[in-house]
Amino acid sequence: MMDDRPIYNVLGPLDVRVDGRPTRLGGTKPRMLLATLLLHANRVVGTSVLVEVLWPGRRPRSAVENLRTYVSSLRAGLAEAGAPTAIRAQQSGYMIEVGPEDLDLFSFEERLAEARRARAGGRTADAVDLLCRALSLWRGAPLEDLPGSPFWDGRVEPLAEARLTAAEELLAMRVELGQYTSAITELRGLTVEHPFRESLWQQLILALHWSGRQAEALRAYGTIRDRLVEELGIEPGAELRRAHAAVLAAEPPATAVAQPTGERPLPQAATGERPTPQQLPPDVPDFTGRCEHVAALVRRLAPDRDDRPPSITVVAGPPGVGKSALAVHCAHVVRPRYPDGQLYLDLAGTTLSPPHPEELLAEALRALGVAETAIPDGVHERSALYRSLLAGRKVLVLLDDAASSAQVRPLLPGTGCSVLVTSRRRITELPGTIPVELDVLQPAEAEDLLRRIVGAERLNREKDAAAAIVRSCGYLPLAIRIAGARLVGRPGWPLSMLEQRLEDEARRLSELRAGDLEVRASVDRSYRLLPQDAARAFRVLGLLGPQPLPAWVVDAALDRHRSDDVVDDLVDANLLQLVGSDPFGQPRYRLPDLIRCDAREKAHADPEGHALRRVVGAWLAIAEQATSRLPTTVFGLPSSTATLWEPAEATLGQVRGNPLSWFDTEREALVVMVRLAAEAGMADAAWNLAATLVPYFDLRGHYDAWRGTHETALSAARAQGDLRGEAALLRGLAQVYLYQDAYAEAAEMFERSHTLFRELGDRRGQAIAICGTGAVDQARGRRRRALARFQQALGMFIRLEDRAGEAYARQAIGKVCLDAGDLAAASTWLDQALRLARALGDRHREGCVFNHLGRLHDLAADFDRAMHYQDQALDIFESLGDCHCAAYAMQNLGRRRAVRGEPLHASAQLERSRTIFQRLGDRSGEASTTQMLGELHRAAGRADLARDYLHHALTLKRELRLGEEAVREYSG
């Protein structure tokens, strides 16, 4: 179920999300208003305070009215995003109502309080987990994307201090848990940022001392003492001096503090008769991030009683994600809790011939002190002896790189022990298994890992390049480690050098290789274990881009329906990620970035041309079905030449039931398919798909995608001499240019399209192109020429019995008459268009006619009927999702409300209309709306504001080279 509550974030740039999607908040002043209310959420903020925040020291005369406008625009923006209004007007100001989980500031404070309660109760691991979660909410300095205000300081400065204090507490607990290496690294970074904070230096000195690095501890004390004396003229405080004395006296950690992990031998078993294996590989010295995973694993691996069944935790994830590093790190953290030893077995599950459990049991028995001659034959006997030797003992068993549950099952011990498994496959069949899914690092964690490898100073000089490097690495730990190794080995390289070399996906994997580390080789170990169909599907998916995809794509790739088994193979191998579901409840999948690069390389080496044609044909088949059920298809040009591949009827039925949701979900993938088809030489598929998308792009106002797909497909059609494709694409491109006021280019393309359709004998294509040329003439103020073209097109549509085209042409003629002031003729033509639209069930055409009828009655001074028609038009366009036509309806309503003396409602509707025009690049619509707003502000006495709006409107008109008479909207 979708949650329409907005989630507000102020711990970093201001961000508001509804259902996980970012919400547009307008300009700087509305955002500062919202930020002020959020910093004091659930409390009234006085009007005078808000005015001072928005206009510090220079309050305009209309400040209070402007404040109301900004509140109205914020409410409208939230309502448009589907969220309930939370901003309340009070007698003395405004208040925003926010729940405890809806503001990251509240969440941070609550988690911080919970962490402190957990620590006070002795639950250190829980406290670490809560602090990690609290600090993960921070995305930068509070409201760092806004200018700031002195009124905020009383709230923002304590927040920053609370963040630093929380970081200190987290590090102190890591030191308590013996996690010295990671704590030291983070403390060094914090002491650079806060060079005089003695509590940080105290923790650093003790962590160095307890990890056996006394010389470094003494050097750290000397550094901070010199700094305090020389720069501040003071001696270190008592706590810092006490830490120094502890180093000099070689004091051990307090008895309540866990012993350092990986640095001191654990005691032997009490009996002294059996060896205590200490087989853990070395901990990763620069282990980074994973706070929540570490905290959770530490809790699971800590035995709470001797007679419990074995705890089995399986860490699974894609190649190179750091499964073994996490497991080894956590094993070292909990090592003191396993006094009877730690077993480590490499199960080599990604090799072509993983070791049999019988071999692995022999290795484990030798580590437990069984002589070679005493090891029994057979897996069952060895497993029984293995369990007997571990019974009643506290041993941690780490099984690295498992191939399957069958390989793991004989290695499970009896009571008292814990088992930690890593695997690229999801192993969930074992009773009591606790799965841990590991994904790539968060961007900040990824940059931190790179910083620890190459050095903070070098990275801080090129922060943008560092961010680009980890992004190209897909935030994959293995790739980042390789990138860092390459930089360490090339100290003369600027980071931008590696950034540039990683930009090209085609050569990215070749760059990510250092010594025996290689991303490609890591992925290959999983790929070569795939069944044949899964390997084929993997290669095809590598060609289809980074966006999430539906499962039926695999059906098309393999030319069969119901390929669930193949999808499951890829998901279980962690080569394909399940990333959610679409509005129809169907799962969505994607290849992780670097895995996709590898799959694409393999596809190019083993071409999958027929499979790709089927996949594109499937997208086209579904798109045609969806387009045929859109509210308006008057300019749609049906496919005639491309090869189709029809998915299962269940998929097609879902799309037919909700075509707009399908298009909204698949828009990015459809754009990619046009490009892929064009690049693969499938010009017919490319142009047919691009042309099929026109009604959807038109309805939703996706002009950039419209233009991009058409330009890509047009190049492919021309290269193959496909005249029908060229004609269709020129007509579509011309429509975009018309919407965005590039009239000369639009006219040229419509004329060329008309010529090609005439040569091909396509009468409907000719009529549609003629309508386009007429619309250009109309926008340029050439009414007679426009009228002649629309009448010519009308005759052609009637002869073709194209009633939708006829309705459009009659409406267009009515609009020309309306612009010429012939209200009687306009009424006749528009009434005819309305009757046709209703007979066809064409709600969109009905809305367009209502829009013009509203103007007609406005000119006839029948203002109530004018408002009635405009309201109906807006309702239709908003219900159909057509933001462009809705903007014109808002414009007309705003103008009408201004005349009726409703300036606040008029201003709100005109501003919404203007915002849409700006986003869509419709400069004529923006110009006329901006002029109306200027006149509205001038009538209200806001001279400065009116001057700004009117000047901007005049600039737009000059750019368009339009005469005053011809500056009018195009809504047909």
Side-chain angles (χ1 to χ4, degrees):
M1 181 175 179
M2 302 297 280
D3 187 353
D4 60 358
R5 295 181 310 165
I7 302 299
Y8 302 94
N9 300 298
V10 298
L11 303 180
L14 179 62
D15 180 63
V16 181
R17 293 180 178 267
V18 178
D19 292 336
R21 298 187 302 271
T23 301
R24 294 175 60 88
L25 299 174
T28 300
K29 282 188 167 46
R31 291 169 64 82
M32 291 189 69
L33 167 62
L34 179 59
T36 307
L37 295 176
L38 289 171
L39 286 174
H40 302 82
N42 302 325
R43 289 185 288 167
V44 177
V45 182
T47 299
S48 59
V49 170
L50 293 171
V51 168
E52 181 60 28
V53 169
L54 298 185
W55 296 280
R58 51 181 182 83
R59 169 182 179 145
R61 284 180 295 175
S62 58
V64 176
E65 293 179 7
N66 292 349
L67 181 61
R68 293 195 193 103
T69 300
Y70 291 144
V71 171
S72 177
S73 70
L74 285 172
R75 287 172 172 162
L78 288 170
E80 187 173 1
T85 301
I87 302 176
R88 312 292 182 199
Q90 304 293 324
Q91 185 173 6
S92 59
Y94 294 88
M95 176 179 72
I96 188 167
E97 296 177 352
V98 178
E101 298 296 324
D102 299 337
L103 177 61
D104 60 355
L105 186 157
F106 286 169
S107 298
F108 168 74
E109 292 176 333
E110 177 58 25
R111 291 177 185 178
L112 185 57
E114 289 180 20
R116 287 169 176 164
R117 288 193 294 269
R119 190 181 188 189
R123 295 181 289 115
T124 304
D126 289 342
V128 167
D129 181 23
L130 288 163
L131 279 178
C132 286
R133 290 167 55 197
L135 291 169
S136 71
L137 296 169
W138 286 77
R139 299 165 293 112
L143 302 169
E144 64 182 17
D145 59 330
L146 293 175
S149 167
F151 183 71
W152 295 355
D153 293 346
R155 188 73 166 112
V156 169
E157 291 177 359
L159 273 175
E161 179 63 24
R163 178 190 188 184
L164 180 56
T165 302
E168 286 181 306
E169 292 175 13
L170 175 60
L171 290 168
M173 284 185 280
R174 285 183 173 170
V175 171
E176 287 181 24
L177 293 172
Q179 300 171 14
Y180 300 134
T181 302
S182 60
I184 289 167
T185 303
E186 293 187 33
L187 283 165
R188 288 195 189 279
L190 285 172
T191 55
V192 171
E193 296 176 20
H194 307 279
F196 297 103
R197 195 171 181 94
E198 294 189 34
S199 56
L200 292 173
W201 286 96
Q202 176 198 357
Q203 288 190 40
L204 175 60
I205 290 165
L206 291 175
L208 289 168
H209 165 48
W210 290 338
S211 62
R213 296 155 68 175
Q214 282 77 12
E216 290 180 62
L218 293 173
R219 191 180 308 120
Y221 178 80
T223 299
I224 181 57
R225 182 185 181 280
D226 291 343
R227 187 172 294 167
L228 291 170
V229 171
E230 293 172 9
E231 299 187 33
L232 302 181
I234 60 174
E235 285 289 337
E239 294 298 324
L240 199 53
R241 294 197 305 272
R242 190 173 296 117
H244 181 226
V247 179
L248 294 175
E251 290 181 6
T255 56
V257 177
Q259 292 297 309
T261 60
E263 290 146 8
R264 299 187 182 191
L266 291 174
Q268 293 293 316
T271 63
E273 298 174 358
R274 293 176 290 185
T276 304
Q278 306 278 344
Q279 294 186 326
L280 292 180
D283 197 358
V284 181
D286 49 14
F287 184 85
T288 303
R290 309 288 196 199
C291 291
E292 292 188 13
H293 288 102
V294 170
L297 281 175
V298 167
R299 285 198 304 271
R300 293 168 186 171
L301 294 173
D304 50 7
R305 65 179 190 270
D306 294 341
D307 60 343
R308 65 171 193 166
S311 163
I312 307 169
T313 305
V314 179
V315 180
V321 81
K323 301 177 291 295
S324 296
L326 173 67
V328 170
H329 178 73
C330 292
H332 277 283
V333 172
V334 301
R335 196 180 65 150
R337 306 189 187 185
Y338 291 91
D340 296 326
Q342 307 87 42
L343 277 172
Y344 173 84
L345 295 173
D346 183 359
L347 275 59
T350 52
T351 61
L352 292 175
S353 300
H356 190 271
E358 190 172 351
E359 303 171 52
L360 296 165
L361 284 166
E363 182 181 341
L365 290 172
R366 286 191 291 270
L368 292 171
V370 179
E372 190 72 38
T373 56
I375 296 176
D377 294 329
V379 66
H380 296 295
E381 291 79 2
R382 291 181 179 183
S383 184
L385 178 57
Y386 169 77
R387 290 193 299 273
S388 297
L389 290 172
L390 292 179
R393 302 180 69 183
K394 292 183 178 180
V395 175
L396 175 62
V397 180
L398 176 50
L399 306 177
D400 199 11
D401 191 20
S404 64
S405 59
Q407 191 188 28
V408 170
R409 189 175 285 107
L411 301 169
L412 298 180
T415 58
C417 300
S418 292
V419 181
L420 180 55
V421 183
T422 72
S423 178
R424 295 190 182 186
R425 305 191 64 83
R426 290 174 170 83
I427 299 177
T428 56
E429 310 93 305
L430 301 173
T433 298
I434 301 171
V436 175
E437 293 290 333
L438 203 58
D439 203 347
V440 296
L441 296 170
Q442 295 296 315
E445 294 177 330
E447 289 185 41
D448 191 25
L449 177 57
L450 186 63
R451 178 181 292 106
R452 296 183 183 199
I453 296 170
V454 305
E457 181 179 353
R458 187 176 178 186
L459 184 138
N460 291 337
R461 287 198 300 266
E462 297 182 81
K463 289 184 177 180
D464 290 344
I469 288 171
V470 297
R471 187 166 55 248
S472 292
C473 289
Y475 307 111
L476 188 72
L478 173 62
I480 296 166
R481 188 162 297 283
I482 292 171
R486 297 201 67 191
L487 290 169
V488 169
R490 296 160 179 79
W493 270 17
L495 268 65
S496 58
M497 172 75 75
L498 184 57
E499 174 195 3
Q500 293 167 10
R501 296 178 73 151
L502 291 174
E503 281 179 353
D504 184 1
E505 280 194 356
R507 58 177 290 187
R508 187 171 293 167
L509 293 182
S510 297
E511 294 291 337
L512 291 174
R513 182 173 53 194
D516 61 347
L517 297 179
E518 184 180 7
V519 172
R520 184 187 288 112
S522 180
V523 178
D524 282 349
R525 287 196 291 273
S526 291
Y527 171 76
R528 64 193 180 199
L529 299 176
L530 291 174
Q532 184 176 354
D533 277 354
R536 285 181 59 211
F538 177 74
R539 295 193 296 271
V540 176
L541 289 171
L543 298 172
L544 304 184
Q547 72 286 337
L549 296 167
W552 59 255
V553 169
V554 176
D555 294 351
L558 300 178
D559 197 18
R560 75 184 212 199
H561 289 152
R562 298 303 304 268
S563 301
D564 297 348
D565 56 330
V566 174
V567 173
D568 289 344
D569 284 338
L570 291 170
V571 171
D572 288 343
N574 265 301
L575 293 175
L576 186 67
Q577 290 180 327
L578 174 63
V579 292
S581 59
D582 60 24
F584 308 106
Q586 298 303 306
R588 312 282 295 179
Y589 301 93
R590 69 180 291 272
L591 296 177
D593 291 339
L594 293 180
I595 291 177
R596 177 175 50 80
C597 291
D598 182 81
R600 189 175 67 174
E601 283 187 0
K602 289 177 169 57
H604 289 156
D606 188 3
E608 298 285 351
H610 293 299
L612 182 59
R613 181 171 285 278
R614 286 194 301 271
V615 170
V616 176
W619 285 104
L620 179 55
I622 302 179
E624 287 184 351
Q625 298 257 359
T627 296
S628 68
R629 286 162 173 78
L630 290 180
T632 177
T633 60
V634 65
F635 292 142
L637 291 167
S639 162
S640 59
T641 61
T643 301
L644 302 181
W645 192 93
E646 287 204 358
E649 178 58 32
T651 298
L652 295 174
Q654 288 177 330
V655 173
R656 294 188 198 106
N658 198 344
L660 266 179
S661 289
W662 183 80
F663 272 124
D664 289 339
T665 300
E666 305 294 3
R667 173 166 57 94
E668 185 180 352
L670 288 161
V671 170
V672 171
M673 292 308 131
V674 173
R675 175 178 57 78
L676 288 175
E679 291 175 350
M682 295 184 286
D684 55 344
W687 82 256
N688 274 283
L689 183 54
T692 300
L693 298 176
V694 165
Y696 167 69
F697 286 154
D698 196 353
L699 187 67
R700 284 296 202 226
H702 293 313
Y703 298 153
D704 289 343
W706 184 346
R707 178 182 294 189
T709 53
H710 274 54
E711 288 175 345
T712 297
L714 180 60
S715 297
R718 283 173 168 167
Q720 293 193 5
D722 189 329
L723 296 183
R724 182 173 298 279
E726 184 177 357
L729 295 166
L730 282 171
R731 194 224 67 81
L733 270 177
Q735 193 75 26
V736 181
Y737 279 104
L738 171 62
Y739 286 161
Q740 298 186 331
D741 311 304
Y743 300 133
E745 294 89 340
E748 180 182 352
M749 290 180 182
F750 277 130
E751 291 288 359
R752 174 62 179 157
S753 173
H754 176 258
T755 300
L756 289 172
F757 279 129
R758 186 177 59 208
E759 293 175 3
L760 293 165
D762 186 336
R763 299 283 290 167
R764 184 172 183 273
Q766 291 179 65
I768 291 175
I770 290 169
C771 286
T773 309
V776 175
D777 288 330
Q778 186 177 15
R780 286 172 156 175
R782 302 168 181 173
R783 297 194 187 100
R784 291 184 180 178
R785 293 176 62 175
L787 185 61
R789 293 187 193 278
F790 288 137
Q791 288 173 335
Q792 180 187 3
L794 175 61
M796 298 173 74
F797 284 132
I798 291 173
R799 286 189 293 275
L800 291 167
E801 298 183 353
D802 184 341
R803 300 183 72 199
E806 180 185 346
Y808 169 81
R810 291 186 185 279
Q811 172 210 305
I813 293 170
K815 185 173 184 298
V816 174
C817 296
L818 183 62
D819 289 346
D822 188 346
L823 302 189
S827 178
T828 299
W829 286 104
L830 291 173
D831 285 344
Q832 293 171 0
L834 183 59
R835 284 197 298 273
L836 265 175
R838 285 174 169 168
L840 294 168
D842 187 343
R843 291 280 291 158
H844 189 272
R845 186 60 46 208
E846 190 177 350
C848 292
V849 176
F850 281 157
N851 208 13
H852 300 321
L853 286 172
R855 285 190 57 224
L856 185 149
H857 288 291
D858 194 5
L859 293 172
D862 188 349
F863 302 131
D864 289 340
R865 291 192 70 188
M867 289 288 289
H868 170 72
Y869 280 119
Q870 295 293 358
D871 280 330
Q872 283 190 294
L874 180 58
D875 287 345
I876 289 173
F877 293 139
E878 289 189 330
S879 70
L880 297 179
D882 187 339
C883 59
H884 200 179
C885 288
Y888 280 105
M890 290 176 208
Q891 183 192 71
N892 291 334
L893 276 171
R895 175 171 50 198
R896 187 70 256 141
R897 291 188 185 280
V899 171
R900 290 179 58 170
E902 301 174 11
L904 289 179
H905 286 95
S907 176
Q909 288 194 311
L910 290 172
E911 285 290 0
R912 286 182 65 197
S913 170
R914 179 170 176 259
T915 298
I916 294 171
F917 288 136
Q918 287 175 328
R919 177 170 63 82
L920 297 178
D922 182 345
R923 292 179 297 162
S924 62
E926 182 188 355
S928 56
T929 306
T930 304
Q931 180 171 332
M932 292 178 201
L933 282 164
E935 292 167 353
L936 186 66
H937 289 307
R938 183 166 58 189
R942 296 186 283 271
D944 291 343
L945 195 57
R947 189 181 305 110
D948 291 342
Y949 277 93
L950 292 172
H951 175 74
H952 184 56
L954 181 60
T955 300
L956 286 169
K957 291 179 184 179
R958 285 173 176 167
E959 290 175 356
L960 293 167
R961 302 188 301 278
L962 295 175
E964 180 179 349
E965 180 184 358
V967 180
R968 63 185 74 245
E969 73 277 17
Y970 176 79
S971 62

